[in-house]
Amino acid sequence: RAAASAIPLHDALTQCADTGSACKVEGVIERVCQTRGCWFTLSAPDVAPTVRVRMLNYGFLVPRNVSGATAVLEGT
């Protein structure tokens, strides 16, 4: 089975918000938790304000120096 393509962050907010279904999105990492890397904010040109992304039960952490990087992520 082929992996689903990432959809724009703006579309994910309108199609997937409050549905409980997972979406695969792409955006730019703006800020990262500098204590542990347990959250980050994701931005896109047509989305304001940024979207905060948290990892369920600290399932994984992101490097604290990835601000400005493009990320593709899937979740609810």
Side-chain angles (χ1 to χ4, degrees), residues 24-47:
K24 186 174 187 178
V25 298
E26 182 174 351
V28 176
I29 297 174
E30 290 290 324
R31 294 180 47 220
V32 177
C33 169
Q34 291 299 296
T35 303
R36 298 182 65 194
C38 57
W39 59 263
F40 60 91
T41 59
L42 196 65
S43 69
D46 55 353
V47 175

Side-chain angles (χ1 to χ4, degrees), residues 3-76:
S5 296
I7 62 174
L9 185 56
H10 179 269
D11 293 348
L13 291 173
T14 58
Q15 295 173 16
C16 302
D18 300 322
T19 65
S21 61
C23 281
K24 186 174 187 178
V25 298
E26 182 174 351
V28 176
I29 297 174
E30 290 290 324
R31 294 180 47 220
V32 177
C33 169
Q34 291 299 296
T35 303
R36 298 182 65 194
C38 57
W39 59 263
F40 60 91
T41 59
L42 196 65
S43 69
D46 55 353
V47 175
T50 58
V51 175
R52 182 179 285 240
V53 177
R54 297 177 298 167
M55 282 51 97
L56 181 64
N57 298 323
Y58 300 102
F60 66 94
L61 305 173
V62 296
R64 294 176 293 189
N65 65 346
V66 296
S67 294
T70 298
V72 175
L73 54 133
E74 186 171 2
T76 55

